[in-house]
Amino acid sequence: MSNITNGKTCNGNHDNLDDLVFFVNGKKIIENNADPEMTLLTYLRRKLGLTGTKLGCAEGGCGACTVMLSRYHPHLGRVHHHSVNACLAPLCSLHHCAVTTVEGIGCVAGKLHPVQERIAKAHGSQCGFCTPGIVMSMYALLRNNPTPHMTDIEEAFQGNLCRCTGYRPILEAYKTFTKEGGCCKKGKENGGCCMTNGHITNGGETNGHITNGGETNEHAKEHASLSAPLYDTAEFMPLDPTQEIIFPPELMSLGNRQAVRQLRFQGERVLWIQPGSLHELLDLKARHPNAKLVVGNTEIGIEMKFKNLLYPVILAPAYIPELNRVQHSEEGIVFGASCSLSLLAEELRVAVAERPSYQTEVFRAVLEQLRWFAGLQIRNVACIGGNIMTASPISDLNPVFMAACCKLMLMSKGGPRVVQMDETFFPGYRKTALKTDEILFSIEIPYSKKGQYFSVFKQSPRREDDISIVTSGMAVRFVEGTAVVKDLRLSYGGMAATTVLAKNTTDKLLGRKWGEELLQDACVSLAEEMTLHPSAPGGMVTYRRTLVLSLFYKFYLTVHQKLAEEGLLESAVGADCASVTEIYHHDTPSSSQVFQAIPPGMAQDDVVGRPMMHLSAVKQTTGEAVYCDDIPLYENEVYLALVTSTKAHARIVSIDASEAERMPGVVTCVFAEDIPGSNLTGPAVYDETVLATELVTCVGHIIGAVVADTQAHAQRAAKAVKITYEEQQPIIVTIQDAIDKQSFYQPVRTIQRGDLELGFNQADHILEGEMHMGGQEHFYLETNVTVAVPKGEDGEMELFVSTQSAAKTQSLVAKALGVAASRVAVRVKRMGGGFGGKESRSTTLSTVVAVAAHKLRRPVRCMLDRDEDMLVSGGRHPFYGRYKVGYMKTGKVVALDVTYYNNAGNSMDLSLSIMERALFHMENSYSIANIRGTGYICKTHLPSNTAFRGFGGPQGMMITENWMTDVAMSLGLSGEQVRRMNLYREAETTPYNQVLEQITLDRCWDECLTRSNYHQRRAAIEQHNRKHRWTKRGLAIVPTKFGISFTALFLNQAGALAHIYTDGSVLLTHGGTEMGQGLHTKMVQVASRTLGIPCSKIHISETSTVTVPNTSPTAASASSDLNGAAVHNACEILLQRLEPYKTKNPKGSWEDWVKAAYFDRVNLCANGFYKTPDLGYNFETNSGRPFNYFCYGVSCSEVEIDSLTGSHKNLHTTIVMDVGNSLNPAIDIGQVEGGFMQGVGLYTLEELRYSPQGYLYTRGPGMYKIPAFGDIPTDLTVSLLRDAPNQKAIFASKAVGEPPLFLAASIFYAIKDAITEARAEVGLEGPFRLDSPATPERIRNACEDRFTILCPPAEPGTFTPWAVQV
């Protein structure tokens, strides 16, 4: 094994400091100058150049940085492997550890690991930024368990997020490793192996109807012409556990022979001490009473990075034997405070299996809470003691420990002290009863006793890896042989500044018999005792108060059931309430994908229409795919950090950067006066500044930047820049604020057709309503990043940028630098996701970085941290809609008047075009004779909102489906019936007077009904709802019609450049950028078919303004259409030039023809171009064709809600999508599923929360929740409509990026359907308002019942809310 030694730099007194020794991918690392503030991630990327491990959030919430950590435990005699977040793991904690990164397990040039191969071939990697982390989570699992169950895989991925794929292909790829989904083990001699006989257990059946999860489908028999599977599991390499990287023997021998000794590492600001013994630790704590103890760094690391806290001395007691000990006592199990949460779970599972059930009530409760505690990477390192000592008021475990009366042993030099974990242990917010010289030594979790019952509850926005809204531990003990309460403890988190006990309530219930009267009194008392001020931090006050009662009711029923089973109560829990007592169980998802057959006779080497793997997938799985921040550091390169406003609307009085300039490593500060060109910027109109000068108009407004030698130095110094403000009024944050203040951008857009007055006069009924739809954060896994490199002459500059708009970046950088665009080259290799967020807002960073590089004449780099990116970049526009609908008693809609308001933020950006598209989609898929839509663009003091997948279409259609649901509900008709009646038909005209041609809505609708078994499903739901009081199911079917083209006419153009080299290889360039959507792959397929050569001969390197100028943004779902046609054009030109040589030598090879043409001096380079014909729309005359064609789709979804908590489960979704003749079914299905899951986040989960002063609370995965693995529908079918060629796009295909997203509205309206059933239980009928997203809070508050009555909301206007609906 080779060694790497990093030399010591003199940095003060380093006497008595230690070398850090660890291994990375088998190589020994000796670090002489370990910095306690450096994370493993930074070290891997910046010191070792291992860039496969990615930075996604820096708070352990996304999993992009996952690596495997291995350590030898001498007392156990074995090596333990576990996944960890490298972004949180302190470098200094790795002494004598072995780190394995994605580069260490396989590579493209060598051999892939099966974990890498399977996710790539199963199409589980799109943008690829999350892929290395997912690969390493799976790899770590297999190192410990080579044949896991699916539940193990689902647990392993709780800490990983993906924004592109929709998760399904990842789970299916890795199901092949499991006992449930791997090879059948029959072998060829016993009827044939499942991997080779044509029936693929998890990859699909032959004939192209892929049924994962072992289900069959009648449609496979109906359509014998379906295609081959998306992938063939027979091609997968087998997993051989004997071939894995060995644990370094040197570390094993060191572990066996070396006594633990104290280690000391000194950085610029922090001293890290790892005590060698308990005695040393207690002595150090006495000498450094303010020192923080760090084991997993899952809390202190966050505080130091995001809260700007500094702890000069850190004590690391992770390897002190006494603190890691697990002992069994007569009363329970004693865990040392450094025991990890994973070890806690492991020990408790053993105890539950071995001990009598009555003794393990508390253990099972802790295990249930640990199921949903953060992600596995966090549980692997976070310790029990740290969880307690953090003293979080929303801790998952502290209410359990408090309700269980756990005993804590505290230790100091003066000796031990035992305290009970009760209401006195947390005297205040984030405070404990420990003295400054004490440490938490251990916790004793007691055995439960006979007659004692224990339950825990956690309610959070997302079930997996989420912080609590309210959490609870509840324990009751009865007088022996009776149902009379002897002792009762109700502990709650999330209801005060500390974990609290409801002592007033429990005191009143002692001596009472368990029954309905006790329940009623308990709820009244809890409602009085567990109160919150209406302005309480965290908001959701009514919901949280209701949860206190709902959770107690669940506990009441659970205990009631057990008492009845033991004969201590006469009546059992009613069958209609029994589901309340069930612990949540997640079913393993199953899925099927259906797509068009390859036509008979199609050439085998013609790849168009085949499910070809993403061209970068393999590189992405090995960490070798290069993203912008993976580019090696330039010599003399420096790092930039932004200085942003802390006020929403204020005048800048002064800027003092003197302290920042004196800080270590700082090179310069950059402000508006450093801009050599124009300070005005903006994608459509120049209404923004590169750097603010006199006025800031949002929190996060960029004022300046600090440039330093490292990211850490730059970020620290940026925080030291002092800005004095004079706040201005008004502060306009919400749409309602803008309406009240008439704060609008111009113009106000209107589309009108027909006679509204006549339509409303004809109508049997008129309904009015309103709806608010929240915004959405893009949450691309790769944040905005730019590297700017001055070229040293003629004002030239080269920029490497993660952007969808290379040309716009070029023009705005040139404007800021005061040079011609020809002097600025912008290069884009790939993006780690974009979704519209890098269409225009990426330029806000690029221009600042370019200005700094120009000032310093040296390369400058900046990759935003997740919290910075979310703060400055804006997101999807929140929308508010008011509508008036006229309709007949049959359900036919005859008139609609709708007004939209969107929250644009502090600049126009693309808001006008977004509002126009919302208006173009205001009728969704329905024919309405008399219609008017009006759109107002609200000017507010928020960061400018921008493009996001769907570009206003999903907002416009969401309001449509809301009033359509109201219409059906008001008439007592089914939503399916009313929607079907109003669907467009062939040759009908839209409100903007475009005639619909080749419409496939009816085909999509009918196939969706059939594939989803809609009517049988509806009958089953009705039966379920009759039998269940508190869990209700809902069903909805929703269509979409999405117009394809940029609504700005000039953008509907594209260029391409094709080079043929003399060896026959082809270099292809086009105007589109690759962000995971498979655009480059599709372009290679187009070129392959056109030129008649294999894909292996064609290469796309990057997108560059040097090769294809004046490119349109990669957006509007039109990139395959536009660039595909341009590529086709370039290739056709080349073919024409080669034709004479093919004619002369018909039996020759491609290479022969190319060489012949070259020697004949024929130009083997061609420029292709395309512009979409017959486009153009005029708002003044309401005439023209805004769209080239339309994409159609239909989705049917079934959900189940828990009306007591507001949680919901996505049970089933069927999607039928018209994508024309798919260029690549694997990529298109991936886009459908990924778009759908992004829509699931938009409509049910993701909620941006702003203060009334415009401050964004949700600035990372900790508080902002995108869908996780567990949110995909349990049963998912995706069908690409067959026999639906589209003659208006390349090779009869259709766009696919944006249209599927809106189909997730079927989940929202299924939830609304279920809420309707819950409301009917208390006599509430008819339309009701449900805003989007349908969060647990909104679902629960809409399900009114006996508990909500006890918790009425405060009157609006009587308090200042913590958060507002923007």
Side-chain angles (χ1 to χ4, degrees):
M1 293 183 182
S2 57
N3 295 355
I4 300 175
T5 304
N6 287 298
K8 185 176 292 183
T9 58
C10 291
N11 191 9
N13 182 11
H14 282 264
D15 294 341
N16 302 319
L17 297 183
D18 294 282
D19 291 342
L20 181 72
V21 179
F22 64 111
F23 281 72
V24 177
N25 298 332
K27 293 182 179 179
K28 185 177 182 179
I29 310 291
I30 303 173
E31 176 55 58
N32 306 128
N33 194 26
D35 183 354
E37 293 187 80
M38 182 174 284
T39 65
L40 170 59
L41 178 63
T42 301
Y43 193 85
L44 291 173
R45 293 181 60 82
R46 293 292 176 247
K47 292 291 185 77
L48 302 184
L50 296 173
T51 56
T53 309
K54 307 300 182 193
L55 173 66
C57 68
E59 60 177 82
C62 74
C65 65
T66 303
V67 298
M68 187 179 80
L69 203 61
S70 306
R71 186 176 178 89
Y72 178 64
H73 295 269
H75 58 289
L76 297 175
R78 64 181 174 89
V79 176
H80 182 63
H81 310 286
H82 56 263
S83 57
V84 302
N85 295 116
C87 72
L88 289 180
L91 178 66
C92 294
S93 69
L94 303 177
H95 193 62
H96 289 182
C97 290
V99 177
T100 305
T101 73
V102 70
E103 294 96 338
I105 68 171
C107 64
V108 173
K111 183 181 178 183
L112 294 180
H113 191 278
V115 170
Q116 297 167 320
E117 179 207 34
R118 294 189 192 186
I119 192 174
K121 289 185 175 177
H123 314 291
S125 182
Q126 289 186 17
C127 88
F129 204 79
C130 69
T131 304
I134 289 171
V135 164
M136 291 311 297
S137 287
M138 187 67 204
Y139 178 78
L141 171 63
L142 293 177
R143 285 301 299 265
N144 290 315
N145 182 2
T147 53
H149 289 284
M150 272 308 292
T151 52
D152 299 319
I153 290 179
E154 288 160 2
E155 180 185 30
F157 289 149
Q158 283 180 349
N160 292 86
L161 296 175
C162 172
R163 194 55 153 166
C164 296
T165 64
Y167 300 109
R168 189 272 312 164
I170 301 171
L171 287 174
E172 285 180 4
Y174 291 149
K175 188 174 182 180
T176 59
F177 288 111
T178 66
K179 294 174 181 174
E180 298 95 331
C183 176
C184 63
K185 311 294 183 191
K186 286 181 180 178
K188 293 181 181 177
E189 67 280 1
N190 295 319
C193 171
C194 67
M195 297 281 196
T196 57
N197 69 0
H199 179 82
I200 300 167
T201 307
N202 190 53
E205 296 179 358
T206 57
N207 207 18
H209 190 90
I210 301 171
T211 55
N212 300 297
E215 296 191 0
T216 60
N217 196 303
E218 288 300 313
H219 297 284
K221 302 170 188 173
E222 292 172 19
H223 304 288
S225 62
L226 299 182
S227 63
L230 287 176
Y231 57 93
D232 184 357
T233 57
E235 296 178 359
F236 290 169
M237 289 184 294
L239 175 69
D240 185 354
T242 65
Q243 298 303 302
E244 302 295 3
I245 302 169
I246 64 167
F247 184 78
E250 181 182 344
L251 290 183
M252 201 172 290
S253 61
L254 283 172
N256 279 323
R257 71 171 189 264
Q258 277 196 5
V260 178
R261 65 178 184 84
Q262 186 181 119
L263 299 173
R264 298 168 68 90
F265 305 108
Q266 176 72 59
E268 269 182 13
R269 309 190 302 168
V270 176
L271 172 64
W272 175 287
I273 307 174
Q274 184 174 304
S277 67
L278 178 62
H279 175 77
E280 279 186 6
L281 172 63
L282 297 176
D283 185 60
L284 286 164
K285 190 68 172 88
R287 282 191 282 136
H288 303 283
N290 294 322
K292 287 289 183 180
L293 273 65
V294 169
V295 174
N297 200 44
T298 57
E299 183 70 23
I300 299 300
I302 302 293
E303 289 184 345
M304 292 183 71
K305 180 165 183 64
F306 295 106
K307 297 182 181 179
N308 211 22
L309 299 178
L310 177 63
Y311 301 113
V313 179
I314 287 181
L315 306 179
Y319 302 113
I320 293 174
E322 295 92 330
L323 293 179
N324 288 281
R325 202 166 283 156
V326 180
Q327 296 174 298
H328 293 256
S329 70
E330 289 185 7
E331 298 294 321
I333 304 179
V334 180
F335 291 90
S338 290
C339 289
S340 71
L341 299 180
S342 290
L343 177 61
L344 170 66
E346 191 180 315
E347 291 288 339
L348 291 181
R349 277 193 287 268
V350 171
V352 168
E354 293 177 350
R355 289 195 165 268
S357 176
Y358 76 86
Q359 285 193 336
T360 60
E361 287 263 338
V362 177
F363 297 170
R364 280 179 275 132
V366 174
L367 285 170
E368 176 61 21
Q369 210 72 331
L370 287 173
R371 278 176 72 194
W372 313 113
F373 188 108
L376 184 60
Q377 296 96 318
I378 296 291
R379 297 197 295 272
N380 284 336
V381 296
C383 67
I384 310 169
N387 187 262
I388 294 169
M389 294 302 297
T390 296
S392 168
I394 51 172
S395 165
D396 291 354
L397 289 176
N398 285 343
V400 187
F401 295 151
M402 192 176 282
C405 299
C406 290
K407 291 179 183 175
L408 305 177
M409 178 175 283
L410 315 179
M411 192 80 77
S412 69
K413 284 186 73 174
R417 177 166 71 103
V418 177
V419 299
Q420 186 170 300
M421 198 159 169
D422 56 20
E423 68 278 8
T424 64
F425 185 72
F426 299 111
Y429 178 69
R430 298 277 184 173
K431 294 179 179 177
T432 69
L434 269 72
K435 299 170 185 173
T436 55
D437 64 340
E438 286 182 318
I439 66 162
L440 175 58
F441 179 76
S442 66
I443 176 173
E444 182 180 59
I445 304 177
Y447 302 126
S448 50
K449 300 175 175 61
K450 284 186 177 177
Q452 183 179 12
Y453 304 97
F454 202 100
S455 292
V456 292
F457 303 97
K458 174 183 176 178
Q459 186 57 42
S460 52
R462 185 180 70 197
R463 191 174 295 277
E464 291 181 7
D465 187 9
D466 200 356
I467 56 176
S468 306
I469 299 170
V470 172
T471 183
S472 181
M474 302 186 187
V476 63
R477 191 175 177 194
F478 295 97
V479 175
E480 192 171 346
T482 74
V484 175
V485 177
K486 182 179 181 180
D487 184 46
L488 178 63
R489 292 174 71 86
L490 306 177
S491 177
Y492 289 96
M495 292 305 298
T498 64
T499 303
V500 293
L501 286 170
K503 284 189 67 66
N504 292 345
T505 298
T506 54
D507 288 347
K508 293 176 187 175
L509 301 179
L510 296 180
R512 300 274 300 275
K513 185 177 180 182
W514 202 257
E516 181 62 34
E517 189 178 326
L518 176 144
L519 170 66
Q520 185 60 36
D521 290 349
C523 288
V524 171
S525 180
L526 282 170
E528 293 173 354
E529 184 175 3
M530 294 286 110
T531 59
L532 285 168
H533 190 276
S535 302
M540 300 184 281
V541 168
T542 300
Y543 176 49
R544 286 153 69 185
R545 293 188 62 214
T546 305
L547 278 176
V548 169
L549 310 190
S550 295
L551 298 181
F552 177 76
Y553 179 60
K554 282 176 171 268
F555 177 60
Y556 166 81
L557 289 179
T558 303
V559 173
H560 193 291
Q561 181 89 342
K562 292 178 179 178
L563 291 173
E565 288 169 2
E566 294 173 17
L568 299 176
L569 284 177
E570 297 170 6
S571 60
V573 172
D576 61 336
C577 294
S579 61
V580 174
T581 66
E582 295 170 2
I583 291 175
Y584 176 82
H585 172 70
H586 178 67
D587 294 321
T588 296
S590 63
S591 64
S592 59
Q593 300 84 42
V594 188
F595 52 96
Q596 181 79 43
I598 296 296
M602 179 169 153
Q604 192 62 38
D605 56 0
D606 185 349
V607 293
V608 171
R610 299 185 190 276
M612 180 174 147
M613 183 174 67
H614 193 293
L615 287 175
S616 293
V618 171
K619 292 191 288 284
Q620 289 163 188
T621 68
T622 63
E624 293 169 88
V626 178
Y627 299 83
C628 193
D629 193 49
D630 297 340
I631 296 169
L633 299 180
Y634 284 84
E635 188 175 353
N636 208 30
E637 181 182 296
V638 284
Y639 203 95
L640 179 143
L642 297 177
V643 177
T644 59
S645 168
T646 58
K647 305 294 181 183
H649 188 199
R651 189 174 65 83
I652 298 173
V653 176
S654 65
I655 301 173
D656 180 4
S658 56
E659 183 184 344
E661 290 169 340
R662 292 193 299 269
M663 293 181 73
V666 171
V667 177
T668 191
C669 293
V670 179
F671 297 103
E673 57 266 25
D674 297 307
I675 298 172
S678 172
N679 192 23
L680 293 177
T681 189
V685 293
Y686 297 140
D687 64 343
E688 302 180 55
T689 57
V690 175
L691 296 170
T693 52
E694 298 176 356
L695 195 70
V696 292
T697 52
C698 69
V699 177
H701 200 148
I702 300 173
I703 297 171
V706 175
V707 185
D709 58 346
T710 67
Q711 181 185 31
H713 283 150
Q715 289 178 339
R716 282 177 208 154
K719 291 170 183 173
V721 175
K722 294 181 175 65
I723 300 171
T724 307
Y725 302 95
E726 182 182 288
E727 293 199 56
Q728 305 291 295
Q729 294 298 327
I731 296 176
I732 300 171
V733 174
T734 70
I735 290 174
Q736 194 57 54
D737 291 342
I739 294 171
D740 293 343
K741 299 285 193 301
Q742 291 293 288
S743 178
F744 303 123
Y745 292 103
Q746 295 301 316
V748 176
R749 284 285 191 230
T750 300
I751 296 176
Q752 182 168 356
R753 194 193 65 166
D755 187 331
L756 269 182
E757 186 177 353
L758 177 65
F760 282 119
N761 288 336
Q762 286 177 343
D764 294 330
H765 304 280
I766 294 175
L767 181 148
E768 295 188 52
E770 58 186 354
M771 182 188 197
H772 183 277
M773 181 181 154
Q776 185 179 25
E777 162 61 30
H778 299 91
F779 215 96
Y780 27 67
L781 264 290
E782 177 203 36
T783 57
N784 276 291
V785 54
T786 295
V787 180
V789 185
K791 305 309 287 184
E793 57 181 77
D794 299 327
E796 286 187 303
M797 186 169 292
E798 185 175 37
L799 289 100
F800 301 88
V801 189
S802 182
T803 182
Q804 296 170 239
S805 299
K808 182 57 68 175
T809 302
Q810 176 192 38
S811 66
L812 292 179
V813 166
K815 180 177 172 64
L817 296 184
V819 300
S822 58
R823 307 292 172 90
V824 177
V826 176
R827 298 171 61 181
V828 184
K829 185 80 171 176
R830 61 172 57 81
M831 281 169 274
F835 315 116
K838 296 173 182 175
E839 181 176 345
S840 63
R841 301 318 296 168
S842 61
T843 62
T844 59
L845 177 66
S846 299
T847 48
V848 177
V849 175
V851 167
H854 176 274
K855 178 180 180 179
L856 294 172
R857 300 289 191 267
R858 57 197 284 193
V860 177
R861 178 183 306 241
C862 180
M863 181 177 184
L864 296 180
D865 277 348
R866 176 65 57 188
D867 64 316
E868 294 176 295
D869 194 283
M870 292 184 73
L871 179 69
V872 305
S873 66
R876 188 187 296 278
H877 287 66
F879 262 64
Y880 167 66
R882 293 174 178 160
Y883 50 82
K884 179 180 178 183
V885 191
Y887 52 101
M888 311 307 290
K889 58 187 176 185
T890 59
K892 178 62 180 173
V893 177
V894 294
L896 171 67
D897 190 4
V898 61
T899 303
Y900 293 115
Y901 300 85
N902 71 9
N903 194 328
N906 71 334
S907 73
M908 261 300 251
D909 192 74
L910 304 174
S911 299
L912 177 59
S913 296
I914 287 164
M915 179 56 79
E916 289 172 354
R917 185 168 279 271
L919 291 170
F920 283 134
H921 291 76
M922 64 182 171
E923 88 291 17
N924 188 6
S925 304
Y926 308 114
S927 178
I928 304 168
N930 308 288
I931 185 169
R932 178 174 65 194
T934 307
Y936 291 88
I937 304 164
C938 298
K939 183 177 183 179
T940 63
H941 294 115
L942 295 182
S944 191
N945 285 313
T946 189
F948 198 148
R949 198 177 199 162
F951 203 76
Q955 293 99 313
M957 292 185 282
M958 188 65 173
I959 307 296
T960 308
E961 293 303 323
N962 198 64
W963 58 251
M964 186 60 79
T965 300
D966 286 355
V967 166
M969 202 178 292
S970 69
L971 292 171
L973 300 174
S974 75
E976 182 272 330
Q977 178 185 345
V978 174
R979 286 180 169 89
R980 184 71 175 85
M981 176 190 306
N982 284 284
L983 286 183
Y984 273 120
R985 291 173 176 78
E986 183 71 18
E988 288 193 307
T989 307
T990 67
Y992 39 94
N993 291 311
Q994 181 166 348
V995 177
L996 297 175
E997 304 167 320
Q998 294 183 306
I999 189 166
T1000 58
L1001 263 176
D1002 53 345
R1003 288 186 56 202
C1004 292
W1005 186 273
D1006 293 341
E1007 183 179 334
C1008 189
L1009 283 178
T1010 304
R1011 287 196 179 278
S1012 65
N1013 297 313
Y1014 180 88
H1015 296 293
Q1016 299 94 313
R1017 197 174 289 280
R1018 171 59 76 188
I1021 286 171
E1022 288 173 358
Q1023 185 177 11
H1024 174 277
N1025 289 341
R1026 281 194 297 271
K1027 293 181 177 179
H1028 294 82
R1029 169 62 184 92
W1030 299 106
T1031 59
K1032 298 293 184 183
R1033 292 184 177 176
L1035 186 67
I1037 182 167
V1038 169
T1040 189
K1041 172 184 67 68
F1042 195 89
I1044 303 300
S1045 287
F1046 286 97
T1047 51
L1049 177 62
F1050 68 92
L1051 293 175
N1052 293 288
Q1053 59 174 304
L1057 184 65
H1059 300 322
I1060 304 177
Y1061 295 96
T1062 53
D1063 64 352
S1065 64
V1066 176
L1067 179 64
L1068 188 63
T1069 313
H1070 59 91
T1073 54
E1074 176 62 53
M1075 62 188 106
Q1077 83 281 38
L1079 181 60
H1080 285 349
T1081 304
K1082 286 184 174 182
M1083 295 305 95
V1084 168
Q1085 288 177 281
V1086 168
S1088 172
R1089 170 181 275 189
T1090 309
L1091 295 173
I1093 60 175
C1095 290
S1096 57
K1097 293 185 185 296
I1098 305 167
H1099 178 61
I1100 297 177
S1101 175
E1102 64 178 2
T1103 305
S1104 171
T1105 56
V1106 173
T1107 51
V1108 179
N1110 311 319
T1111 57
S1112 297
T1114 306
S1117 303
S1119 298
S1120 290
D1121 294 359
L1122 295 171
N1123 294 289
V1127 166
H1128 182 65
N1129 178 232
C1131 293
E1132 287 281 0
I1133 292 169
L1134 290 170
L1135 273 185
Q1136 289 171 13
R1137 295 176 187 168
L1138 291 174
E1139 188 58 36
Y1141 308 97
K1142 294 173 73 174
T1143 304
K1144 282 183 187 177
N1145 183 12
K1147 293 186 179 179
S1149 67
W1150 167 259
E1151 287 80 4
D1152 293 335
W1153 302 328
V1154 168
K1155 285 179 181 174
Y1158 169 72
F1159 285 117
D1160 207 20
R1161 296 181 294 176
V1162 170
N1163 182 5
L1164 294 177
C1165 169
N1167 175 262
F1169 184 77
Y1170 175 78
K1171 65 176 182 179
T1172 311
D1174 306 321
L1175 284 182
Y1177 174 79
N1178 187 311
F1179 272 95
E1180 300 301 319
T1181 61
N1182 194 19
S1183 61
R1185 290 181 71 246
F1187 301 116
N1188 190 30
Y1189 62 88
F1190 295 89
C1191 282
Y1192 303 102
V1194 177
S1195 172
C1196 174
S1197 292
E1198 178 185 356
V1199 303
E1200 179 179 292
I1201 67 167
D1202 180 341
S1203 62
L1204 286 169
T1205 63
S1207 296
H1208 81 275
K1209 290 191 281 188
N1210 300 326
L1211 300 179
H1212 169 88
T1213 294
T1214 292
I1215 299 170
V1216 179
M1217 197 76 212
D1218 173 12
V1219 298
N1221 287 356
S1222 173
L1223 294 176
N1224 185 324
I1227 285 176
D1228 286 351
I1229 287 171
Q1231 287 294 289
V1232 171
E1233 293 175 340
F1236 176 82
M1237 284 307 296
Q1238 205 164 52
V1240 168
L1242 170 64
Y1243 294 128
T1244 70
L1245 189 59
E1246 300 177 42
E1247 193 170 26
L1248 289 162
R1249 312 192 75 196
Y1250 285 91
S1251 77
Q1253 300 303 309
Y1255 176 82
L1256 178 65
Y1257 294 121
T1258 45
R1259 291 176 55 183
M1263 286 193 70
Y1264 186 81
K1265 297 300 171 181
I1266 70 171
F1269 279 84
D1271 294 305
I1272 65 176
T1274 305
D1275 178 29
L1276 175 63
T1277 296
V1278 174
S1279 174
L1280 303 184
L1281 190 70
R1282 296 168 309 286
D1283 304 319
N1286 170 43
Q1287 301 310 323
K1288 294 184 180 293
I1290 185 74
F1291 297 146
S1293 65
K1294 276 191 175 183
V1296 71
E1298 294 172 290
L1301 181 138
F1302 177 67
L1303 294 179
S1306 61
I1307 296 276
F1308 179 92
Y1309 288 104
I1311 288 171
K1312 193 166 186 179
D1313 186 48
I1315 294 172
T1316 302
E1317 292 296 313
R1319 290 167 63 86
E1321 292 278 0
V1322 292
L1324 295 172
E1325 295 181 351
F1328 61 96
R1329 180 170 172 176
L1330 180 68
D1331 287 340
S1332 175
T1335 58
E1337 177 192 13
R1338 288 201 174 102
I1339 295 171
R1340 179 65 186 98
N1341 289 347
C1343 297
E1344 299 180 29
D1345 53 43
R1346 62 192 286 193
F1347 306 115
T1348 59
I1349 292 170
L1350 293 171
C1351 304
E1355 283 294 322
T1358 61
F1359 64 98
T1360 300
W1362 178 78
V1364 291
Q1365 188 179 59
V1366 299

